[in-house]
Amino acid sequence: MPTLGRTQAPLLLRAEGLEGDAGRHWGRATLVVARELCRLKWFALAHVPAHERADALRVQALAWQPFDDSALCLVLGDDEGLAVAWDARQVREALAERGVRPDACKVLPEVLLRAPGADGPRLVRMSDGVEGQVWRNGRLVASRWWPEAPAPEAWRLFAQSLSGEAASWPLPTVDDAPAWLNKPWAVPLADQAHDQARESRLVDVALAALVFCAGVVGAQWWGVERSLRDQLASNADQRARLGPVLAERDAALQRSAEAGQWAQWLIPTVLPVELFEALHEALAKRQVVVKELDWRGDKLRMGLQVPAALPRSELLKGVQSVRQFANPTEVRVESGRDLLWLDVDLRTAMPGGAPAGAQTANASSIAGAAPRADTAAAPSGPAAAITTAPTPAALPPTPPAPVVAARPAPAPGSTKPNAPATAPAEARPQFRSNPKPIAMAASGEDFPPQSVFDAVK
C-alpha cells in the first residue's frame, strides 16, 4: 500500500475494486488509480509559444478522450505535455460503494506517485503488472504497461516505436516496485491552477487586510486630528479669557520692578552687608585679610594684611573691582602693625542716570532729615543721616529706608556734635593718625573661616 503521509489514509483503485481505509479523514484523502486503469499520451508543444502551451495541452487532451467519461491529469514539460486519463465513472462507482463523496478525495495516477528513475529505459513492477518506462532529464517521456514481464519481441516493438537509438535497447531486467512518494514528482496543471487561485485568494486577503489596517489607521489619525483641533480651540478660548489677567500680572510685575528701582535710587548709603560681601569677593582670592576698618560717612579707611608675593598692582586691581569704591589711595598710618592702609571714597546707590524726581526726593530727604548713626560706623565716628523720602505722585509708594539706631545726644558741655548726613568737603571728618578699628581679632585667627575679616566684635 502507498504511504503518502502520516495524516492521510490513501486509497488504491485497482481493476478488482477499491482497496484501503475509506473511513473518515482529516482533510482530503488521496485516491491512487492503478497503472493498469490509466492511459498515457504525449503531445508535442515545441511549436507553441511558452505562455500558450498549457492551454494547447488542455485542448489536445480533451480531443483525445480515451474513455466515454475521461478524467485527465496533465503534466507540462519543456517542449511536450503528458496526459494521463482514466475512467471517471469507474472511480465514482467505486467511491459510492464505500460511501465516500468524490469531492472528498484527490485522485492521482499511480505513475506520478512512484519514484522516478535514471535517464534511459527500465522495467518496473507496479501494483498490477509491469510497466516499461523511458526517462529523460527527470521526466517520463515514454511508457507501456503489460500484465506480466514482456517478452523480448514485445519489448523490441516498444523500443522501435521510439525514435533514435531506442530501437537498439536490450530488454532490461524487471525491478521491484519503486518507493511511493508523498507528493507527485511533477505538479499537475490542475494543482498549478489551484495553487494560482489560492495565491490569488491570499493576495486578495492581504489587500483586504491592508485596506482594513489603512482604514483603522486613518480613523485613528482623524480622531487625533480632531482632538488636536479641539484642544487648540480650547487653548485659544483660555488665552482669550486669561488675557486680561496676564496683562494685569505683567503690569504689576513692571510696577514692582519700577518700585524696586526707585527704592534703590532713594537710598543714598551703602549697605554694610553689601560692602563686606564685595570686599570678601575681591580680596579673599588674593589672600588679603582686612585687619582694621574705619568707616565714616562716605569715607572708608582699611588696614590690610597683604601677602609678600602679591604685587601692589594686583591688590589695587582687586580694590578697584569693588563697585562701591572710588579713588583708592594708599596712606601712611602709625599703628604699630605691619599693615597696608588704604583710603577709599564710597559711591552711593544713586546712579547718574536716575530721574530728576528721584534725585529731588533724595536731596530733600537728606536736607530735612534728623541725624542718625549708621550701625556699621565706628563708635567714635559720625554717621550718615537717613530718612524716608517722600513718594513721587507718578509711582507707587517706595519701601522705607532701613531703620537704624539713632545716635545718643551729645553730653552737656561736649564739643563733639552729631555729624550731619552730608557734610561739605572742608567740613568732612578727618581720620586719626592711629584710628581705633571697629572690627579686630582678639586672638589673631580669621573669623569667619576663609573670610577677609579677622573678627566682628
Side-chain angles (χ1 to χ4, degrees), residues 45-46 50 53 76-81 137 139:
L45 302 173
R53 289 179 181 178
L76 186 63
D78 295 334
D79 54 359
E80 64 181 2
N137 298 328
R139 290 191 175 273

Side-chain angles (χ1 to χ4, degrees), residues 363-383:
S364 61
S365 70
I366 295 175
R372 290 180 179 269
D374 194 336
T375 55
S380 60

Side-chain angles (χ1 to χ4, degrees), residues 278-338:
L279 275 175
H280 178 77
E281 291 179 357
L283 302 181
K285 59 185 178 181
R286 296 173 172 84
Q287 299 181 356
V288 177
V289 180
V290 179
K291 292 295 186 176
E292 295 188 11
L293 279 178
D294 192 356
W295 187 356
R296 302 186 183 188
D298 59 351
K299 295 289 186 179
L300 179 66
R301 174 168 291 179
M302 299 181 297
L304 306 179
Q305 181 178 344
V306 182
L310 182 67
R312 294 296 180 90
S313 59
E314 182 66 21
L315 174 63
L316 184 60
K317 180 180 178 181
V319 173
Q320 289 177 345
S321 65
V322 180
R323 63 179 181 84
Q324 293 91 341
F325 287 175
N327 304 324
T329 306
E330 183 178 353
V331 296
R332 298 179 61 84
V333 177
E334 297 296 335
S335 61
R337 304 179 66 182
D338 187 14

Side-chain angles (χ1 to χ4, degrees), residues 151-202:
E153 183 64 21
W155 174 258
R156 185 179 62 82
L157 293 175
F158 169 66
Q160 288 178 352
S161 67
L162 304 175
S163 60
E165 60 182 9
S168 60
W169 285 338
L171 178 64
T173 58
V174 179
D175 297 333
D176 293 335
W180 289 98
L181 301 176
N182 289 333
K183 60 181 180 179
W185 50 263
V187 181
L189 288 181
D191 291 348
Q192 293 181 4
H194 176 71
D195 293 342
Q196 292 176 356
R198 182 172 59 183
E199 291 178 359
S200 178
R201 288 194 297 271
L202 290 177

